[in-house]
Each structure stands twice: as C-alpha cells, then as structure tokens.
C-alpha cells in the first residue's frame, strides 16, 4: 500500500478541536509497503516515562509523555502504539492524508500478527447504528455507513491505490501508561483489509486522531532510506512541543471554508502554498497557479506522509520530465512505469552519476522555505536494478492534486502546527539520536 490519499471518504468533517492535552514522542521507521516483510522477524520495545517538566501549552491535568518503539523498514511510517485496557500494541501507518484511524480486528485463523482482540479490553465498545456518526451527514456522502445484522455500525474505506479496509466502527482508548490515556476515540475495527497494519489518520477531519485527542501539533523526522541488507532506518515522531522547533521555518496552510464544496478539493488535507520547482540552478517555467486549487479544486498541493512518491499534476510533471529528458534522456529506461505513475526511471547501478547529471531538486514555498532533495538522493531504488526519480503523474492515480510524498520529506523535520495553521520544516539528520 504505497499511497494513502483517500478518494472515497467515510466521513467529512465540519470542525477541528485545537486544544492540546498530550505531549507524546514516538520514534518511527521508514517502511516500504511495496515490499513484503515478515512481521515476526522484528521486535519492538516499549518505553514510557513521565517527563519532569510541564509544557505550558498543555492542560494542567495532563503531564507530558515520552514513548519509544523501534520498527521494521519500508517506505510507509509505521508506529507501534498501545491501544485498549490493558494495552495491546498495534502497528499503524502514520498518514497525514486520511482521516479515519483503524486497527486490525481479524478473527480468521490466518489473521495479521498484530490483530487487536476486543474481548481482552475493558475499554472497548461498538458503535450502534443509532449513533449520530453512523448516519449520512452530508448529501454528497460517497460511501455511507450501514447497519450490519447485529445492528452495529459498519464502514468501508477505500484508498487511491486500490487497497481497502472494512469492519465496524468502535470506541477505544490509546493507553500510554497506567494513569494517562486518551479519551475513547472512534476507530475502525477492520475485519477485512488488504494490508497487515492499521492506519493512524492525522488529517484535519473531526474523526482524525489529532482532532479526537485534541492535539494541537505534531512533527516527524524521516530518515533516508537505505538499501543495505539488515539495516533499519529509525526516525522520530512528536505529538505536542518539539524541543528543537525554534529552528523551524514555517509556511501558512491554505484553508477552505466547510461550505466551499469543490469536486477535486480535499478540504481536510494539509494544503501548502507551493510556488515553484528548481532542477539544478534552473527554475522551471511552471505557472504558480498550477500549484493552487482552481475553481474546481484541481491543483491543490498537500503534504502527505502516507504517500511514498511525490505526485504532480500534468502541467508540472511534463515540465519536470522535459528538463530531466534534456539532461539524461538517452539513459532513461524506455517503456517502464513504476507504480503505474512514475516513468522517469533508469537501469544500472549508477544512480549517483545520474543524479549528478540531473542536479538537486528543490520545491519552493517562498520566504526562504524550501524542500531540498540533494542529487545523491534523487533516484529511488525500486528493485530489479531500476532506479526512479521519486515523482509520479497525479492523473494516473485519478487525482487532480500535487502531493508531497514521504520520499521527499526525508532528512527533514516536518511539523504540523494545527492550532496556528502552518507547517514547519527544518533540515536534519534524521538517522541520529532523538533529541
């Protein structure tokens, strides 16, 4: 499951609660979902400690927390979180591009190794069909919830890459210690799914994890991926104040009124004002309007931790590809498309040389804020001796948006300051010890 941009929403939200009551710190691992891994081969150690100082932005009744875990490798960001009472550790994909969080609740013999057992948790409860969230709330609800034979609320959730999850909506706590838990949050309890892990939905929707848990900001630092056998990159994830946030450079989020309905707009995404793209020293001739929503919502630029590659609308993609063809066109792998969207790929074991010929890739946001993809990290190993520029064509996804994927968020702190409606960036070596 390499992309988690939701095309069909189970819920659309009207408001976001922005007060902060938790300060959590999770290390995470950059994981590639296109590669099958044996979950039994990884071990996880959980360590919870109460910090000695109190963060002034938090509720006075809730002390800050630190929480750590190590993970397996892939190109999704996988957290191991304690859920239920007593806690059961669940693997969840950190996804800023979707709303509903869901956990694995398979009851089959061949169930995922991290499947949640509701019968073992005293804080677990099902949502009945009479619950307000189990009814279509908006006229253009594309996939409404239904009642199952037990009069429980049934949901189905689909993603852009064809993956899905379906089951019942439930309420459950995230338990971080014996004394600190979140309130009961509405989650999906998946009886059927195409992935082995659940989702931690982190967008601006009212049913996202941050909205229900009343979290005002979170941040993560994704390490560079590595092809070294047996090496596991470890990064960091904070909920609440980041101790190094003073060094961040921020861009304001573009926000949209809930009454503004546009067919191609995701109003719950973290939409940023991308202004241009440079390759080497050349700023590409791409109109700034290409990166902003038009009257129908096309052209929105979002930051999505759940998408592996960056994706661009046709006008921008054609300009990027045209410049790369000028520089290294004869070396391109003809007729090859990775993931049905990315066709700037190369054979051979010389990605550093190809990157040197192309140059650095820069996404410009104005006011000196940039995402720099250095030439030595420009090409991504997709297997079989093939390396690709980590950019795909959005239209091949059936999307009309620009998406900054996690492959272009590596070695960056990325902070989502929800209460101040901004996103911060800071260059970092994300493989180093956590501050």
């Amino acid at each position: 499951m390499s992309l988690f941009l939701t095309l069909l929403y189970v819920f659309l939200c009207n408001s976001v609660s922005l007060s902060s009551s938790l300060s959590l710190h999770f290390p995470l691992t950059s994981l590639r979902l296109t590669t099958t891994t044996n979950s039994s081969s990884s071990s996880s150690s959980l360590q919870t400690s109460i910090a000695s100082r109190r963060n002034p932005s938090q509720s006075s009744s809730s002390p800050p927390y630190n929480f750590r875990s190590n993970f397996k490798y892939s190109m999704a960001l996988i957290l191991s979180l304690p859920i239920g009472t007593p806690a059961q550790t669940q693997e969840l994909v950190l996804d800023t591009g979707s709303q509903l969080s869901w956990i694995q609740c398979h009851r089959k013999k061949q169930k995922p190794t991290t499947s949640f057992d509701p019968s073992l948790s005293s804080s677990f409860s099902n949502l009945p069909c009479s619950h307000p969230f189990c009814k279509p709330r908006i006229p253009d609800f594309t996939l409404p919830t239904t009642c199952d034979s037990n009069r429980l609320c049934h949901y189905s959730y689909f993603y852009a890459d064809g993956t899905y999850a379906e089951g019942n909506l439930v309420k459950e706590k995230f338990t971080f210690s014996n004394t600190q838990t979140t309130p009961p949050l509405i989650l999906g309890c998946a009886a059927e799914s195409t992935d082995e892990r659940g989702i931690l939905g982190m967008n601006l929707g009212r049913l996202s994890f941050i909205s229900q848990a009343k979290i005002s900001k979170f941040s993560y630092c994704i390490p560079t991926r590595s092809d070294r056998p047996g090496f596991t990159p470890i990064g960091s994830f904070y909920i609440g104040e980041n101790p190094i946030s003073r060094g961040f450079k921020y861009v304001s989020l573009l926000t949209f009124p809930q009454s503004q309905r546009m067919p191609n707009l995701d109003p719950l995404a973290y939409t940023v004002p991308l202004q241009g793209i440079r390759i080497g020293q050349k700023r590409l001739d791409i109109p700034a309007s290409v990166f902003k929503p038009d009257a129908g919502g096309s052209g929105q630029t979002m930051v999505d931790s759940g998408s592996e590659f960056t994706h661009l609308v046709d006008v921008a993609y054609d300009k990027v590809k045209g410049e790369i063809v000028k520089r290294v066109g004869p070396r391109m792998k003809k007729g090859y498309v990775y993931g049905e969207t990315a066709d700037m790929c190369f054979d051979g074991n010389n990605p550093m040389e190809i990157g040197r010929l192309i140059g650095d890739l820069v996404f410009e946001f104005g006011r000196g804020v940039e995402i720099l993809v250095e030439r030595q990290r420009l090409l991504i190993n997709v297997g079989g001796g093939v390396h690709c520029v980590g950019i795909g064509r959005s239209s091949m996804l059936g999307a009309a948006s620009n998406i900054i994927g996690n492959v272009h968020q590596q070695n960056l702190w990325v902070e989502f300051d929800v209460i101040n409606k901004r996103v911060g960036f800071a260059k970092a070596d994300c493989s180093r010890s956590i501050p």
Side-chain angles (χ1 to χ4, degrees), residues 7 23 45 60-61 96 108 136 154 159 186 259 273-274 389 406 413:
L7 292 182
S23 180
S45 61
S60 60
S61 62
T96 62
K108 298 179 179 179
H154 185 86
Y159 298 90
I186 295 176
S259 58
L274 181 62
V389 177
N406 63 51
W413 275 109

Side-chain angles (χ1 to χ4, degrees), residues 221 244 247-248 372 374 377 411-413 425-430:
C221 195
I244 64 168
F248 293 177
L372 168 65
E374 297 172 329
R377 296 192 293 110
N411 269 358
L412 281 177
W413 275 109
F425 301 97
K427 189 175 180 180
D429 180 356
C430 297

Side-chain angles (χ1 to χ4, degrees), residues 41-58:
S41 65
S42 68
S43 62
S44 176
S45 61
L46 305 181
Q47 186 179 29
T48 307
S49 62
I50 302 179
S52 59
R53 63 179 176 82
R54 184 175 299 279
N55 190 313
S57 69
Q58 292 178 297

Side-chain angles (χ1 to χ4, degrees), residues 227 344-349 351 379-383 385-389:
D227 299 323
M344 293 182 283
C345 301
F346 305 84
D347 267 327
N349 299 315
L379 297 189
I380 309 301
N381 184 356
V382 298
V386 179
H387 293 77
C388 298
V389 177

